Amino acid sequence: MALMTGEAYIESIRKLNMQVYMFGKKVEDPVDDPILRPSLNSVRMTYDLAQKPEYQDLMTAVSGLTGERVNRFTHIHQSAEDLVKKVKMQRLLGQQTAACFQRCVGMDAFNAVYSTTYEIDKKHGTHYFENFRKFAAYVQENDLTVDGAMTDPKGDRSKAPHEQADPDLFLHIVERREDGIVVRGAKAHQTGVLNSHEVIVMPTQSMRAEDADYAVSFAVPTDTPGITMIIGRQSCDTRKREGGELDVGNSEFGGVEALTIFEDVFVPNERIFMCGEYEFAGMLVERFAGYHRQSYGGCKVGVGDVLIGAAAVAADYNGAAGASHIKDKLIEMTHLNETLYACGIACSAEGHPTESGNYLIDLLLANVCKQNVTRFPYEIARLAEDIAGGLVVTAPSEADLRDPKVGPYVEKYFRAAPGVSTEDRLRILRLIENLTLGTAAVGYRTESMHGAGSPQAQRIMIARQGNLPMKKRLAKQIAHIKD
Ligand code: SF4
Ligand code: FE
């Protein structure tokens, strides 16, 4: 079963015995919870589209591990073309869901762990690469969704992991046994963890010798004893419980994040990919972050396409589409969105093979991509709000629209362009609200800032990769300056 259907995916998640908490209560049935279900539907789309012949080229690839056709979200990139197709696939999914479809973190962890374990083994004579290849083949054969867990809570930012007042603020090894290790700690903001079958844990930053117990990477099933997930609140999340689908804006799809706690979780030897080789923590972080910064040049662009479309429809419905400043704002939004895409494609096309043979993006361009993502979606959202008008935040509820007494007032006073129903006008405004201020704003706005690393993390990489000495040499050569 190399490719799973969307329906089979949902049922496979239902079988997991995950410990999920929300609003102070255990969620007994996360699959059917109205607040959580839209996020599961987004991941489902990664399965549904892979079944369609017209998307086979983007959504699937032939595995270098098994020789079988697998979902691209489980693929180890074999070429720069694979990297380009990854970004195109993410744009497609952003367009189809207008939300975070979550499965990319596992794909990015896969490719970072693959090349890093190869290099650890070469230096230390360990067997992590073989461990990982077996795990990756298992994931591909069963078409599993994997969460990539990197971000530790980090406590006092001025202190190293071993210096923290509470040693658990970075996930670490608490016991080494014959048959494996026991770990404790937590990973924050875990995108899609409760919609995943497995979780790959990675260190969160470069480590020194004193932090060797924190330099740990492994994979375990998400329902392993000791793992607890606490769902993050999203703006307007409880609207999904109220039953008014119009008020939600995007009632079918969404994203989800959770604080994920590992309380003395046992990891068997064959699932360990790093265990104390602290000097490789930085390499793993840099590569994972690089891949995920590339990812944003696809997913955010796809969601941006929907937001630009929504703004244009709102302009039509308002009767304002002919105004020259509206046309110009839509051009500006498109320019910004396509600039992000250009960065995603460029860092992919400039990809190169690692020692292990899989392909890595150009790290400088991937960091430039993400740096732009920390800015442009905010400007695109600002322009969408500008075009939409104030009604985006003052419109009455669906219940008012349907009410026999006040509904006719809503109907009458919020009519605009001829031939457009008030309900459709409210629908498009609620979608803009959802993307810029509601549940989807987690993925489109704040995640654009902090996901895959906050802006300063990219600036450090840009400084490191920018090759200023070479540029100084160029200038001196042209100016006829001899050192
Ligand atoms: Fe994928 Fe984008 Fe969500 Fe990250 S934010 S998991 S790249 S959809
Ligand atoms: Fe992300």
Side-chain angles (χ1 to χ4, degrees):
M1 187 192 52
L3 290 176
M4 183 149 55
T5 64
E7 197 51 49
Y9 159 69
I10 301 279
E11 292 317 305
S12 70
I13 293 292
R14 197 188 295 284
K15 286 195 192 109
L16 298 177
N17 182 28
M18 284 183 277
Q19 305 302 305
V20 181
Y21 287 80
M22 185 168 59
F23 301 122
K25 290 197 182 77
K26 179 149 190 277
V27 185
E28 296 299 344
D29 181 14
V31 164
D32 292 318
D33 184 277
I35 288 183
L36 302 175
R37 180 56 184 248
S39 70
L40 192 66
N41 292 343
S42 299
V43 184
R44 180 195 170 137
M45 193 59 101
T46 70
Y47 290 88
D48 284 340
L49 292 185
Q51 301 279 332
K52 298 193 174 173
E54 65 267 39
Y55 297 127
Q56 193 195 60
D57 185 49
L58 281 192
M59 295 299 306
T60 69
V62 175
S63 165
L65 297 173
T66 67
E68 296 282 315
R69 187 162 285 282
V70 297
N71 192 298
R72 189 174 293 282
F73 281 97
T74 68
H75 187 49
I76 304 290
H77 312 303
Q78 305 291 302
S79 61
E81 196 191 349
D82 267 348
L83 292 168
V84 170
K85 283 183 182 170
K86 172 195 159 183
V87 171
K88 292 186 174 181
M89 168 181 77
Q90 290 168 312
R91 184 172 190 171
L92 171 70
L93 275 150
Q95 292 171 339
Q96 300 283 324
T97 60
C100 166
F101 36 90
Q102 308 146 55
R103 208 175 170 186
C104 326
V105 276
M107 166 174 55
D108 293 339
F110 251 52
N111 280 277
V113 174
Y114 188 85
S115 60
T116 306
T117 50
Y118 182 91
E119 291 180 46
I120 302 176
D121 285 2
K122 203 173 111 184
K123 180 169 177 204
H124 290 280
T126 41
H127 300 284
Y128 302 136
F129 186 60
E130 206 38 49
N131 284 355
F132 185 72
R133 280 172 63 96
K134 280 196 190 130
F135 170 68
Y138 163 74
V139 166
Q140 290 184 343
E141 277 157 10
N142 293 283
D143 202 5
L144 302 180
T145 289
V146 180
D147 173 48
M150 180 161 278
T151 310
D152 289 277
K154 296 199 283 282
D156 180 346
R157 288 351 189 224
S158 70
K159 292 192 164 61
H162 74 279
E163 295 168 339
Q164 296 288 332
D166 180 343
D168 300 339
L169 288 170
F170 287 76
L171 190 142
H172 60 125
I173 304 163
V174 290
E175 192 188 340
R176 287 181 161 83
R177 291 170 26 179
E178 260 310 89
D179 52 348
I181 53 173
V182 177
V183 299
R184 191 186 304 150
K187 293 289 179 180
H189 333 294
Q190 283 313 296
T191 296
V193 61
L194 65 151
N195 298 326
S196 303
H197 305 92
E198 296 272 344
V199 50
I200 297 182
V201 167
M202 298 164 282
T204 198
Q205 62 185 43
S206 302
M207 301 277 173
R208 297 188 307 236
E210 305 90 313
D211 295 319
D213 283 345
Y214 295 85
V216 61
S217 178
F218 58 86
V220 286
T222 45
D223 61 352
T224 301
I227 297 182
T228 303
M229 304 166 194
I230 308 172
I231 302 296
R233 284 215 69 166
Q234 298 176 336
S235 172
C236 310
D237 49 9
T238 47
R239 283 195 198 179
K240 293 176 185 170
R241 275 188 177 168
E242 293 166 4
E245 72 72 48
L246 189 158
D247 290 344
V248 177
N250 179 358
S251 57
E252 199 175 340
F253 302 107
V256 69
E257 279 77 25
L259 171 65
T260 306
I261 295 129
F262 294 74
E263 187 73 34
D264 296 341
V265 170
F266 174 68
V267 185
N269 283 329
E270 64 274 15
R271 286 296 195 92
I272 299 174
F273 313 133
M274 177 189 286
C275 187
E277 295 79 8
Y278 62 90
E279 74 276 29
F280 286 93
M283 177 189 288
L284 184 51
V285 172
E286 203 168 271
R287 290 183 182 177
F288 172 76
Y291 283 122
H292 211 56
R293 290 168 194 174
Q294 167 209 25
S295 287
Y296 283 20
C299 81
K300 305 297 178 217
V301 181
V303 178
D305 287 328
V306 178
L307 183 54
I308 294 167
V313 173
D316 290 344
Y317 288 1
N318 289 346
S324 63
H325 73 98
I326 297 286
K327 288 183 193 161
D328 194 57
K329 281 164 189 160
L330 290 168
I331 291 168
E332 178 65 9
M333 293 164 87
T334 305
H335 157 69
L336 292 169
N337 205 40
E338 298 300 334
T339 303
L340 299 180
Y341 186 54
C343 291
I345 294 295
C347 69
S348 307
E350 290 285 293
H352 55 86
T354 65
E355 285 185 38
S356 69
N358 75 339
Y359 271 65
L360 182 66
I361 61 285
D362 180 285
L363 285 174
L364 174 60
L365 295 181
N367 278 277
V368 169
C369 178
K370 173 67 212 312
Q371 182 82 174
N372 283 335
V373 170
T374 66
R375 300 169 182 174
F376 296 178
Y378 286 82
E379 181 63 7
I380 293 170
R382 188 183 74 80
L383 291 166
E385 283 183 43
D386 179 346
I387 293 170
L391 193 56
V392 86
V393 288
T394 62
S397 69
E398 179 174 0
D400 292 315
L401 178 69
R402 311 262 182 247
D403 183 76
K405 185 164 169 24
V406 298
Y409 290 134
V410 177
E411 188 72 50
K412 172 182 162 84
Y413 288 109
F414 288 130
R415 249 179 201 273
V420 177
S421 74
T422 299
E423 176 171 336
D424 286 350
R425 188 166 176 232
L426 293 177
R427 280 187 181 280
I428 210 70
L429 294 179
R430 287 292 179 211
L431 174 58
I432 294 172
E433 181 196 34
N434 174 260
L435 286 164
T436 56
L437 305 161
T439 53
V442 176
Y444 191 64
R445 289 178 57 134
T446 312
E447 197 190 23
S448 287
M449 181 68 77
H450 294 294
S454 307
Q456 188 57 19
Q458 288 110 58
R459 299 186 83 76
I460 291 166
M461 283 298 289
I462 291 168
R464 213 186 290 160
Q465 304 270 332
N467 203 349
L468 216 45
M470 180 272 288
K471 288 165 187 160
K472 284 190 192 172
R473 275 198 307 278
L474 292 176
K476 286 181 179 173
Q477 189 182 318
I478 297 288
H480 296 192
I481 297 170
K482 286 199 177 61
D483 274 333

